[in-house]
Amino acid sequence: MGCFVSKDKLTKEDMDFLKTHTSYDETTIKEWYKGFKQDCPNGRLTPAKFVDMYKMFFPSGNAVEFCDHVFRTFDMDKNGYIDFKEFLQAIHVTSSGTPEEKLKWAFRMYDVDGNGVIDIQEMTKIVQASNIVVHKIIP
């Protein structure tokens, strides 16, 4: 459940792209790819699988709405799933990206309709979804 058809090995083009757009070297990218393929053997992470994975880390939280926003931000091409390139770029930005990269990522998450502006409704929607997660994790 949650994954679809994909290739077994990264292409040279994908490897070059990821080396250029993340801080990871080839060995690290291959390790991440191996783990991604274990969790999603067919190479496509769906929203349902994403929520399931999130629940493993935060079992007491009801974070479906929050996960929807995070997933939307990671699914850069808006095709309904996260492929390995999107996944690794998201890991890079959220864990070791520059402050500017992290700010751009956060802006995309808050800009729910993608119009380049965060209005009060969007801000409220994300803050409320975040509060559900925080209140469940930190009583």
Side-chain angles (χ1 to χ4, degrees), residues 50-113:
F50 185 78
V51 170
D52 289 344
M53 292 172 78
Y54 191 89
K55 286 179 181 177
M56 288 190 307
F57 294 103
F58 303 103
S60 63
N62 179 10
V64 173
E65 187 176 345
F66 182 72
C67 284
D68 287 345
H69 295 297
V70 175
F71 187 93
R72 174 184 45 79
T73 308
F74 288 174
D75 182 16
M76 292 178 249
D77 61 6
K78 308 297 180 217
N79 63 2
Y81 64 87
I82 297 170
D83 63 27
F84 180 68
K85 285 170 45 177
E86 291 168 325
F87 173 79
L88 196 62
Q89 288 177 86
I91 295 298
H92 161 74
V93 167
T94 57
S95 65
S96 59
T98 66
E100 185 176 345
E101 288 172 324
K102 289 178 182 182
L103 183 59
K104 286 179 180 179
W105 178 84
F107 186 91
R108 284 194 320 271
M109 186 168 78
Y110 279 79
D111 183 17
V112 175
D113 63 10

Short mmCIF file of all heavy atoms in Angstrom, two decimals, residues 50-113:
data_model
loop_
_atom_site.label_atom_id
_atom_site.label_comp_id
_atom_site.label_asym_id
_atom_site.label_seq_id
_atom_site.Cartn_x
_atom_site.Cartn_y
_atom_site.Cartn_z
N PHE A 50 3.03 8.07 3.60
CA PHE A 50 3.72 9.15 4.29
C PHE A 50 3.15 9.32 5.70
O PHE A 50 3.90 9.43 6.68
CB PHE A 50 3.58 10.45 3.50
CG PHE A 50 4.36 11.61 4.05
CD1 PHE A 50 5.72 11.71 3.84
CD2 PHE A 50 3.72 12.60 4.78
CE1 PHE A 50 6.44 12.78 4.35
CE2 PHE A 50 4.43 13.67 5.28
CZ PHE A 50 5.80 13.77 5.07
N VAL A 51 1.83 9.31 5.83
CA VAL A 51 1.19 9.42 7.15
C VAL A 51 1.58 8.22 8.01
O VAL A 51 1.90 8.38 9.20
CB VAL A 51 -0.35 9.54 7.01
CG1 VAL A 51 -1.03 9.40 8.37
CG2 VAL A 51 -0.72 10.86 6.37
N ASP A 52 1.57 7.02 7.44
CA ASP A 52 1.96 5.82 8.20
C ASP A 52 3.38 5.95 8.73
O ASP A 52 3.66 5.60 9.88
CB ASP A 52 1.85 4.56 7.33
CG ASP A 52 0.42 4.17 7.03
OD1 ASP A 52 -0.51 4.67 7.72
OD2 ASP A 52 0.21 3.37 6.10
N MET A 53 4.28 6.46 7.90
CA MET A 53 5.67 6.62 8.33
C MET A 53 5.77 7.67 9.42
O MET A 53 6.50 7.49 10.40
CB MET A 53 6.56 6.99 7.13
CG MET A 53 6.69 5.86 6.12
SD MET A 53 7.52 6.35 4.61
CE MET A 53 9.20 6.33 5.16
N TYR A 54 5.03 8.76 9.29
CA TYR A 54 5.03 9.81 10.29
C TYR A 54 4.53 9.28 11.63
O TYR A 54 5.09 9.58 12.68
CB TYR A 54 4.16 10.98 9.82
CG TYR A 54 4.33 12.21 10.67
CD1 TYR A 54 5.30 13.16 10.36
CD2 TYR A 54 3.54 12.44 11.78
CE1 TYR A 54 5.47 14.29 11.14
CE2 TYR A 54 3.69 13.56 12.56
CZ TYR A 54 4.67 14.49 12.24
OH TYR A 54 4.83 15.60 13.02
N LYS A 55 3.50 8.44 11.59
CA LYS A 55 2.94 7.86 12.81
C LYS A 55 3.94 6.99 13.56
O LYS A 55 3.86 6.86 14.78
CB LYS A 55 1.68 7.06 12.49
CG LYS A 55 0.48 7.91 12.17
CD LYS A 55 -0.71 7.03 11.83
CE LYS A 55 -1.92 7.86 11.47
NZ LYS A 55 -3.06 7.00 11.07
N MET A 56 4.88 6.39 12.84
CA MET A 56 5.91 5.58 13.50
C MET A 56 6.77 6.46 14.41
O MET A 56 7.20 6.03 15.47
CB MET A 56 6.79 4.86 12.48
CG MET A 56 6.09 3.72 11.77
SD MET A 56 7.18 2.68 10.77
CE MET A 56 8.01 3.84 9.73
N PHE A 57 7.04 7.70 13.98
CA PHE A 57 7.87 8.60 14.76
C PHE A 57 7.08 9.33 15.84
O PHE A 57 7.62 9.70 16.87
CB PHE A 57 8.58 9.61 13.84
CG PHE A 57 9.55 8.96 12.91
CD1 PHE A 57 9.22 8.75 11.58
CD2 PHE A 57 10.79 8.53 13.37
CE1 PHE A 57 10.12 8.14 10.71
CE2 PHE A 57 11.69 7.91 12.52
CZ PHE A 57 11.35 7.72 11.19
N PHE A 58 5.79 9.59 15.58
CA PHE A 58 4.95 10.32 16.51
C PHE A 58 3.64 9.55 16.72
O PHE A 58 2.58 9.98 16.26
CB PHE A 58 4.67 11.74 15.99
CG PHE A 58 5.91 12.53 15.73
CD1 PHE A 58 6.39 12.70 14.44
CD2 PHE A 58 6.63 13.08 16.78
CE1 PHE A 58 7.55 13.43 14.19
CE2 PHE A 58 7.79 13.80 16.55
CZ PHE A 58 8.25 13.97 15.27
N PRO A 59 3.70 8.41 17.42
CA PRO A 59 2.54 7.54 17.52
C PRO A 59 1.35 8.14 18.26
O PRO A 59 0.21 7.76 18.02
CB PRO A 59 3.07 6.31 18.26
CG PRO A 59 4.32 6.76 18.92
CD PRO A 59 4.87 7.89 18.10
N SER A 60 1.57 9.10 19.14
CA SER A 60 0.45 9.65 19.90
C SER A 60 -0.19 10.85 19.22
O SER A 60 -1.19 11.36 19.70
CB SER A 60 0.92 10.05 21.31
OG SER A 60 1.89 11.08 21.22
N GLY A 61 0.36 11.31 18.13
CA GLY A 61 -0.17 12.50 17.46
C GLY A 61 -1.17 12.14 16.37
O GLY A 61 -1.05 11.11 15.72
N ASN A 62 -2.17 13.00 16.19
CA ASN A 62 -3.11 12.86 15.08
C ASN A 62 -2.71 13.90 14.05
O ASN A 62 -3.20 15.02 14.06
CB ASN A 62 -4.54 13.07 15.54
CG ASN A 62 -5.53 12.95 14.41
OD1 ASN A 62 -5.18 12.53 13.31
ND2 ASN A 62 -6.76 13.33 14.65
N ALA A 63 -1.80 13.54 13.16
CA ALA A 63 -1.14 14.53 12.32
C ALA A 63 -1.51 14.43 10.85
O ALA A 63 -0.76 14.89 10.02
CB ALA A 63 0.36 14.37 12.50
N VAL A 64 -2.67 13.88 10.53
CA VAL A 64 -3.01 13.70 9.12
C VAL A 64 -3.03 15.03 8.38
O VAL A 64 -2.45 15.16 7.30
CB VAL A 64 -4.37 12.96 8.98
CG1 VAL A 64 -4.82 12.92 7.52
CG2 VAL A 64 -4.26 11.56 9.54
N GLU A 65 -3.68 16.04 8.95
CA GLU A 65 -3.74 17.34 8.27
C GLU A 65 -2.35 17.95 8.13
O GLU A 65 -2.00 18.48 7.07
CB GLU A 65 -4.66 18.30 9.03
CG GLU A 65 -4.88 19.59 8.27
CD GLU A 65 -5.87 20.52 8.96
OE1 GLU A 65 -6.60 20.07 9.85
OE2 GLU A 65 -5.89 21.69 8.58
N PHE A 66 -1.55 17.86 9.18
CA PHE A 66 -0.19 18.39 9.12
C PHE A 66 0.60 17.65 8.04
O PHE A 66 1.30 18.26 7.24
CB PHE A 66 0.50 18.26 10.48
CG PHE A 66 1.88 18.82 10.51
CD1 PHE A 66 2.09 20.19 10.47
CD2 PHE A 66 2.98 17.98 10.56
CE1 PHE A 66 3.38 20.71 10.49
CE2 PHE A 66 4.27 18.50 10.59
CZ PHE A 66 4.47 19.86 10.55
N CYS A 67 0.48 16.34 8.00
CA CYS A 67 1.18 15.53 7.00
C CYS A 67 0.75 15.92 5.58
O CYS A 67 1.58 15.92 4.67
CB CYS A 67 0.93 14.05 7.22
SG CYS A 67 1.85 13.34 8.58
N ASP A 68 -0.51 16.27 5.41
CA ASP A 68 -0.98 16.71 4.09
C ASP A 68 -0.18 17.92 3.62
O ASP A 68 0.21 18.01 2.45
CB ASP A 68 -2.46 17.06 4.12
CG ASP A 68 -3.37 15.85 4.22
OD1 ASP A 68 -2.90 14.71 3.99
OD2 ASP A 68 -4.56 16.04 4.55
N HIS A 69 0.06 18.86 4.53
CA HIS A 69 0.79 20.08 4.16
C HIS A 69 2.28 19.77 3.89
O HIS A 69 2.85 20.30 2.93
CB HIS A 69 0.66 21.14 5.24
CG HIS A 69 -0.75 21.63 5.39
ND1 HIS A 69 -1.42 22.28 4.38
CD2 HIS A 69 -1.62 21.55 6.43
CE1 HIS A 69 -2.64 22.58 4.79
NE2 HIS A 69 -2.79 22.15 6.01
N VAL A 70 2.87 18.94 4.72
CA VAL A 70 4.27 18.58 4.51
C VAL A 70 4.41 17.81 3.20
O VAL A 70 5.29 18.10 2.39
CB VAL A 70 4.82 17.77 5.70
CG1 VAL A 70 6.24 17.29 5.42
CG2 VAL A 70 4.78 18.60 6.99
N PHE A 71 3.51 16.85 2.97
CA PHE A 71 3.56 16.07 1.74
C PHE A 71 3.44 16.97 0.52
O PHE A 71 4.20 16.85 -0.44
CB PHE A 71 2.44 15.02 1.73
CG PHE A 71 2.53 14.07 0.57
CD1 PHE A 71 3.21 12.87 0.70
CD2 PHE A 71 1.94 14.37 -0.64
CE1 PHE A 71 3.31 11.99 -0.38
CE2 PHE A 71 2.04 13.52 -1.73
CZ PHE A 71 2.73 12.32 -1.59
N ARG A 72 2.48 17.90 0.55
CA ARG A 72 2.27 18.82 -0.57
C ARG A 72 3.56 19.59 -0.88
O ARG A 72 3.91 19.80 -2.04
CB ARG A 72 1.14 19.80 -0.22
CG ARG A 72 0.92 20.91 -1.22
CD ARG A 72 -0.16 21.89 -0.77
NE ARG A 72 -0.09 22.32 0.61
CZ ARG A 72 0.76 23.25 1.08
NH1 ARG A 72 1.61 23.83 0.28
NH2 ARG A 72 0.74 23.59 2.35
N THR A 73 4.28 19.97 0.16
CA THR A 73 5.51 20.73 -0.02
C THR A 73 6.62 19.85 -0.61
O THR A 73 7.40 20.31 -1.44
CB THR A 73 5.95 21.35 1.32
OG1 THR A 73 4.85 22.07 1.87
CG2 THR A 73 7.11 22.30 1.13
N PHE A 74 6.68 18.60 -0.18
CA PHE A 74 7.70 17.68 -0.70
C PHE A 74 7.41 17.25 -2.14
O PHE A 74 8.33 16.98 -2.91
CB PHE A 74 7.80 16.43 0.17
CG PHE A 74 8.45 16.64 1.52
CD1 PHE A 74 8.47 15.60 2.42
CD2 PHE A 74 9.04 17.83 1.88
CE1 PHE A 74 9.06 15.76 3.67
CE2 PHE A 74 9.64 18.01 3.12
CZ PHE A 74 9.65 16.96 4.02
N ASP A 75 6.13 17.13 -2.49
CA ASP A 75 5.72 16.70 -3.84
C ASP A 75 5.86 17.88 -4.80
O ASP A 75 4.88 18.50 -5.20
CB ASP A 75 4.29 16.16 -3.80
CG ASP A 75 3.81 15.66 -5.15
OD1 ASP A 75 4.65 15.42 -6.05
OD2 ASP A 75 2.58 15.50 -5.30
N MET A 76 7.08 18.19 -5.17
CA MET A 76 7.38 19.41 -5.92
C MET A 76 6.74 19.44 -7.30
O MET A 76 6.37 20.51 -7.79
CB MET A 76 8.89 19.60 -6.02
CG MET A 76 9.52 19.92 -4.68
SD MET A 76 11.29 20.09 -4.80
CE MET A 76 11.82 18.65 -3.88
N ASP A 77 6.59 18.30 -7.96
CA ASP A 77 5.98 18.30 -9.29
C ASP A 77 4.46 18.08 -9.24
O ASP A 77 3.80 18.01 -10.27
CB ASP A 77 6.66 17.30 -10.22
CG ASP A 77 6.55 15.86 -9.74
OD1 ASP A 77 5.86 15.59 -8.72
OD2 ASP A 77 7.18 14.98 -10.36
N LYS A 78 3.92 17.97 -8.04
CA LYS A 78 2.46 17.89 -7.81
C LYS A 78 1.80 16.73 -8.55
O LYS A 78 0.68 16.84 -9.02
CB LYS A 78 1.76 19.21 -8.19
CG LYS A 78 2.37 20.43 -7.56
CD LYS A 78 2.26 20.39 -6.06
CE LYS A 78 2.87 21.63 -5.42
NZ LYS A 78 3.56 21.33 -4.18
N ASN A 79 2.50 15.58 -8.59
CA ASN A 79 1.93 14.42 -9.28
C ASN A 79 1.26 13.43 -8.33
O ASN A 79 0.83 12.37 -8.74
CB ASN A 79 3.00 13.72 -10.13
CG ASN A 79 4.13 13.17 -9.29
OD1 ASN A 79 4.13 13.27 -8.07
ND2 ASN A 79 5.12 12.58 -9.95
N GLY A 80 1.18 13.78 -7.03
CA GLY A 80 0.47 12.93 -6.08
C GLY A 80 1.32 11.93 -5.33
O GLY A 80 0.79 11.17 -4.51
N TYR A 81 2.60 11.89 -5.60
CA TYR A 81 3.51 11.02 -4.86
C TYR A 81 4.87 11.69 -4.75
O TYR A 81 5.18 12.64 -5.47
CB TYR A 81 3.61 9.63 -5.49
CG TYR A 81 4.20 9.63 -6.89
CD1 TYR A 81 5.58 9.57 -7.08
CD2 TYR A 81 3.39 9.68 -8.01
CE1 TYR A 81 6.13 9.58 -8.36
CE2 TYR A 81 3.92 9.68 -9.29
CZ TYR A 81 5.29 9.63 -9.45
OH TYR A 81 5.83 9.64 -10.71
N ILE A 82 5.67 11.19 -3.83
CA ILE A 82 7.03 11.68 -3.65
C ILE A 82 7.98 10.63 -4.19
O ILE A 82 7.97 9.48 -3.72
CB ILE A 82 7.32 11.95 -2.16
CG1 ILE A 82 6.41 13.05 -1.63
CG2 ILE A 82 8.79 12.32 -1.94
CD1 ILE A 82 6.45 13.23 -0.12
N ASP A 83 8.76 11.00 -5.20
CA ASP A 83 9.76 10.08 -5.71
C ASP A 83 11.06 10.28 -4.93
O ASP A 83 11.14 11.14 -4.04
CB ASP A 83 9.96 10.23 -7.22
CG ASP A 83 10.50 11.59 -7.63
OD1 ASP A 83 11.19 12.27 -6.84
OD2 ASP A 83 10.22 12.00 -8.77
N PHE A 84 12.05 9.48 -5.24
CA PHE A 84 13.29 9.54 -4.46
C PHE A 84 13.98 10.89 -4.56
O PHE A 84 14.50 11.40 -3.57
CB PHE A 84 14.25 8.42 -4.87
CG PHE A 84 15.54 8.48 -4.08
CD1 PHE A 84 15.55 8.19 -2.73
CD2 PHE A 84 16.73 8.86 -4.70
CE1 PHE A 84 16.72 8.28 -1.98
CE2 PHE A 84 17.91 8.94 -3.96
CZ PHE A 84 17.90 8.65 -2.61
N LYS A 85 14.00 11.48 -5.74
CA LYS A 85 14.64 12.79 -5.88
C LYS A 85 13.97 13.84 -5.01
O LYS A 85 14.63 14.61 -4.32
CB LYS A 85 14.65 13.23 -7.35
CG LYS A 85 15.67 12.48 -8.19
CD LYS A 85 15.56 12.70 -9.69
CE LYS A 85 15.37 14.09 -10.16
NZ LYS A 85 15.34 14.21 -11.63
N GLU A 86 12.65 13.85 -5.00
CA GLU A 86 11.93 14.80 -4.14
C GLU A 86 12.20 14.50 -2.67
O GLU A 86 12.41 15.42 -1.87
CB GLU A 86 10.42 14.72 -4.42
CG GLU A 86 10.03 15.24 -5.78
CD GLU A 86 8.61 14.90 -6.17
OE1 GLU A 86 8.11 13.81 -5.80
OE2 GLU A 86 7.99 15.74 -6.85
N PHE A 87 12.19 13.22 -2.33
CA PHE A 87 12.43 12.80 -0.96
C PHE A 87 13.80 13.26 -0.46
O PHE A 87 13.92 13.86 0.60
CB PHE A 87 12.31 11.27 -0.87
CG PHE A 87 12.70 10.70 0.46
CD1 PHE A 87 11.82 10.75 1.53
CD2 PHE A 87 13.94 10.10 0.63
CE1 PHE A 87 12.18 10.21 2.77
CE2 PHE A 87 14.30 9.56 1.85
CZ PHE A 87 13.42 9.61 2.92
N LEU A 88 14.83 12.99 -1.25
CA LEU A 88 16.18 13.33 -0.79
C LEU A 88 16.40 14.84 -0.75
O LEU A 88 17.07 15.34 0.16
CB LEU A 88 17.24 12.66 -1.67
CG LEU A 88 18.63 12.64 -1.03
CD1 LEU A 88 18.63 11.85 0.28
CD2 LEU A 88 19.67 12.08 -1.98
N GLN A 89 15.82 15.55 -1.68
CA GLN A 89 15.92 17.02 -1.62
C GLN A 89 15.24 17.56 -0.36
O GLN A 89 15.74 18.48 0.28
CB GLN A 89 15.30 17.65 -2.87
CG GLN A 89 16.13 17.45 -4.11
CD GLN A 89 15.44 18.03 -5.32
OE1 GLN A 89 15.58 19.21 -5.58
NE2 GLN A 89 14.66 17.22 -6.01
N ALA A 90 14.10 16.96 0.00
CA ALA A 90 13.39 17.38 1.21
C ALA A 90 14.21 17.07 2.46
O ALA A 90 14.31 17.89 3.37
CB ALA A 90 12.03 16.69 1.28
N ILE A 91 14.81 15.88 2.50
CA ILE A 91 15.67 15.52 3.63
C ILE A 91 16.83 16.49 3.73
O ILE A 91 17.16 16.98 4.82
CB ILE A 91 16.19 14.06 3.50
CG1 ILE A 91 15.04 13.06 3.57
CG2 ILE A 91 17.26 13.76 4.54
CD1 ILE A 91 14.28 13.04 4.88
N HIS A 92 17.44 16.78 2.61
CA HIS A 92 18.57 17.72 2.59
C HIS A 92 18.16 19.08 3.15
O HIS A 92 18.81 19.62 4.04
CB HIS A 92 19.12 17.87 1.17
CG HIS A 92 19.94 19.11 0.98
ND1 HIS A 92 21.20 19.25 1.49
CD2 HIS A 92 19.64 20.28 0.38
CE1 HIS A 92 21.65 20.46 1.20
NE2 HIS A 92 20.72 21.10 0.53
N VAL A 93 17.08 19.64 2.62
CA VAL A 93 16.67 20.98 3.03
C VAL A 93 16.32 21.01 4.51
O VAL A 93 16.76 21.90 5.24
CB VAL A 93 15.50 21.51 2.18
CG1 VAL A 93 14.88 22.75 2.80
CG2 VAL A 93 15.97 21.81 0.77
N THR A 94 15.52 20.05 4.96
CA THR A 94 15.05 20.09 6.34
C THR A 94 16.13 19.72 7.36
O THR A 94 16.05 20.16 8.51
CB THR A 94 13.82 19.19 6.54
OG1 THR A 94 14.15 17.86 6.15
CG2 THR A 94 12.64 19.70 5.72
N SER A 95 17.13 18.96 6.96
CA SER A 95 18.15 18.56 7.93
C SER A 95 19.45 19.33 7.82
O SER A 95 20.08 19.61 8.83
CB SER A 95 18.43 17.05 7.83
OG SER A 95 19.00 16.75 6.58
N SER A 96 19.86 19.66 6.61
CA SER A 96 21.17 20.31 6.48
C SER A 96 21.17 21.46 5.48
O SER A 96 22.23 21.92 5.07
CB SER A 96 22.24 19.28 6.09
OG SER A 96 21.91 18.64 4.88
N GLY A 97 19.99 21.92 5.11
CA GLY A 97 19.91 23.05 4.18
C GLY A 97 20.34 24.34 4.84
O GLY A 97 20.41 24.45 6.07
N THR A 98 20.61 25.33 4.01
CA THR A 98 20.96 26.65 4.52
C THR A 98 19.72 27.30 5.14
O THR A 98 18.59 26.87 4.84
CB THR A 98 21.47 27.56 3.38
OG1 THR A 98 20.37 27.81 2.47
CG2 THR A 98 22.64 26.93 2.64
N PRO A 99 19.90 28.30 5.97
CA PRO A 99 18.73 29.00 6.51
C PRO A 99 17.81 29.51 5.39
O PRO A 99 16.58 29.44 5.52
CB PRO A 99 19.33 30.15 7.31
CG PRO A 99 20.67 29.62 7.75
CD PRO A 99 21.15 28.78 6.59
N GLU A 100 18.37 30.00 4.30
CA GLU A 100 17.55 30.48 3.19
C GLU A 100 16.75 29.34 2.56
O GLU A 100 15.57 29.50 2.24
CB GLU A 100 18.42 31.16 2.14
CG GLU A 100 17.61 31.78 1.02
CD GLU A 100 18.45 32.54 0.00
OE1 GLU A 100 19.62 32.85 0.28
OE2 GLU A 100 17.91 32.81 -1.08
N GLU A 101 17.37 28.17 2.36
CA GLU A 101 16.65 27.03 1.80
C GLU A 101 15.51 26.59 2.72
O GLU A 101 14.41 26.29 2.26
CB GLU A 101 17.61 25.85 1.58
CG GLU A 101 18.58 26.03 0.44
CD GLU A 101 19.64 24.94 0.39
OE1 GLU A 101 20.11 24.45 1.44
OE2 GLU A 101 20.01 24.57 -0.75
N LYS A 102 15.78 26.58 4.03
CA LYS A 102 14.76 26.19 4.99
C LYS A 102 13.61 27.19 5.00
O LYS A 102 12.44 26.81 5.09
CB LYS A 102 15.35 26.05 6.39
CG LYS A 102 16.25 24.84 6.52
CD LYS A 102 16.88 24.76 7.89
CE LYS A 102 17.81 23.54 7.97
NZ LYS A 102 18.40 23.39 9.29
N LEU A 103 13.93 28.46 4.90
CA LEU A 103 12.89 29.50 4.87
C LEU A 103 12.04 29.37 3.62
O LEU A 103 10.80 29.46 3.68
CB LEU A 103 13.53 30.88 4.95
CG LEU A 103 12.57 32.07 5.01
CD1 LEU A 103 11.67 31.97 6.22
CD2 LEU A 103 13.36 33.37 5.04
N LYS A 104 12.66 29.13 2.47
CA LYS A 104 11.90 28.94 1.22
C LYS A 104 10.99 27.72 1.32
O LYS A 104 9.84 27.74 0.87
CB LYS A 104 12.85 28.80 0.03
CG LYS A 104 13.49 30.11 -0.39
CD LYS A 104 14.44 29.92 -1.56
CE LYS A 104 15.08 31.23 -1.97
NZ LYS A 104 16.02 31.06 -3.08
N TRP A 105 11.50 26.64 1.93
CA TRP A 105 10.69 25.44 2.10
C TRP A 105 9.49 25.73 3.00
O TRP A 105 8.36 25.38 2.69
CB TRP A 105 11.55 24.31 2.68
CG TRP A 105 10.75 23.07 2.92
CD1 TRP A 105 10.44 22.11 2.01
CD2 TRP A 105 10.10 22.68 4.14
NE1 TRP A 105 9.65 21.14 2.59
CE2 TRP A 105 9.44 21.47 3.89
CE3 TRP A 105 10.03 23.24 5.41
CZ2 TRP A 105 8.71 20.82 4.87
CZ3 TRP A 105 9.30 22.59 6.39
CH2 TRP A 105 8.64 21.38 6.11
N ALA A 106 9.74 26.40 4.13
CA ALA A 106 8.65 26.74 5.05
C ALA A 106 7.63 27.64 4.37
O ALA A 106 6.41 27.47 4.55
CB ALA A 106 9.22 27.40 6.31
N PHE A 107 8.10 28.59 3.57
CA PHE A 107 7.18 29.48 2.87
C PHE A 107 6.27 28.67 1.95
O PHE A 107 5.06 28.89 1.91
CB PHE A 107 7.94 30.54 2.07
CG PHE A 107 7.03 31.56 1.45
CD1 PHE A 107 6.70 32.72 2.13
CD2 PHE A 107 6.48 31.35 0.19
CE1 PHE A 107 5.83 33.66 1.57
CE2 PHE A 107 5.61 32.27 -0.37
CZ PHE A 107 5.29 33.43 0.31
N ARG A 108 6.85 27.72 1.21
CA ARG A 108 6.04 26.89 0.32
C ARG A 108 4.98 26.10 1.10
O ARG A 108 3.87 25.89 0.62
CB ARG A 108 6.91 25.94 -0.50
CG ARG A 108 7.65 26.61 -1.64
CD ARG A 108 8.24 25.63 -2.65
NE ARG A 108 8.85 24.43 -2.10
CZ ARG A 108 10.12 24.32 -1.71
NH1 ARG A 108 10.93 25.35 -1.80
NH2 ARG A 108 10.58 23.17 -1.25
N MET A 109 5.34 25.66 2.32
CA MET A 109 4.37 24.91 3.11
C MET A 109 3.22 25.82 3.55
O MET A 109 2.05 25.43 3.49
CB MET A 109 5.01 24.26 4.34
CG MET A 109 4.05 23.36 5.07
SD MET A 109 4.77 22.30 6.31
CE MET A 109 5.00 23.44 7.65
N TYR A 110 3.54 27.03 3.97
CA TYR A 110 2.50 27.96 4.43
C TYR A 110 1.68 28.54 3.27
O TYR A 110 0.53 28.91 3.45
CB TYR A 110 3.12 29.10 5.25
CG TYR A 110 3.40 28.72 6.68
CD1 TYR A 110 4.51 27.97 7.01
CD2 TYR A 110 2.54 29.11 7.70
CE1 TYR A 110 4.78 27.62 8.33
CE2 TYR A 110 2.80 28.77 9.03
CZ TYR A 110 3.92 28.02 9.33
OH TYR A 110 4.18 27.66 10.63
N ASP A 111 2.28 28.64 2.09
CA ASP A 111 1.57 29.17 0.93
C ASP A 111 0.74 28.05 0.30
O ASP A 111 1.06 27.49 -0.75
CB ASP A 111 2.59 29.73 -0.08
CG ASP A 111 1.93 30.36 -1.29
OD1 ASP A 111 0.72 30.66 -1.24
OD2 ASP A 111 2.64 30.55 -2.30
N VAL A 112 -0.35 27.70 0.96
CA VAL A 112 -1.16 26.54 0.61
C VAL A 112 -1.64 26.58 -0.83
O VAL A 112 -1.60 25.57 -1.53
CB VAL A 112 -2.35 26.39 1.59
CG1 VAL A 112 -3.27 25.25 1.17
CG2 VAL A 112 -1.86 26.19 3.02
N ASP A 113 -2.09 27.73 -1.31
CA ASP A 113 -2.62 27.80 -2.68
C ASP A 113 -1.54 28.08 -3.72
O ASP A 113 -1.82 28.13 -4.92
CB ASP A 113 -3.76 28.81 -2.79
CG ASP A 113 -3.34 30.23 -2.48
OD1 ASP A 113 -2.12 30.51 -2.37
OD2 ASP A 113 -4.24 31.09 -2.36
#
